[in-house]
Amino acid sequence: MQSITNKYLKSLFTAIGGELKQLVNNAESMPYTTKNNYGRYMGLLTMLQPQVGLDNAVQLLIMAKGNKEGILDAKKVLDSYK
């Protein structure tokens, strides 16, 4: 299952990686208003979650060179609302 997920994420990133990198760059270019910019990553994760699921959205943003700590912090907050 791991290999299928990896292939899916790589394929998806190939298709939308440019847009994801732009979203990450936009988020990172803004002044941080939360620790590790998790507030901005919550917005991005919320936007991506309906299409790809939360875990995949996390991996895609990390692949796009987002702030890993900020992305994981945002995921923790979103997980707490389940």
Side-chain angles (χ1 to χ4, degrees):
M1 184 68 168
Q2 182 72 14
S3 132
I4 293 171
T5 301
N6 287 340
K7 287 180 183 177
Y8 168 73
L9 286 175
K10 286 178 185 175
S11 174
L12 190 55
F13 190 76
T14 298
I16 64 170
E19 291 89 348
L20 290 174
K21 287 178 183 178
Q22 185 175 2
L23 290 170
V24 165
N25 287 337
N26 288 344
E28 288 297 320
S29 69
M30 306 287 274
Y32 280 26
T33 56
T34 55
K35 182 179 178 186
N36 295 315
N37 216 10
Y38 79 87
R40 298 219 187 269
Y41 287 111
M42 279 181 47
L44 294 177
L45 289 173
T46 301
M47 178 184 70
L48 294 168
Q49 183 177 6
Q51 288 82 24
V52 298
L54 184 57
D55 291 335
N56 289 335
V58 166
Q59 291 305 312
L60 288 167
L61 290 177
I62 291 171
M63 291 168 73
K65 307 290 188 227
N67 180 319
K68 185 175 181 177
E69 292 302 315
I71 295 165
L72 295 175
D73 289 346
K75 181 183 183 299
K76 285 179 194 172
V77 173
L78 293 172
D79 280 340
S80 72
Y81 287 104
K82 286 183 179 179

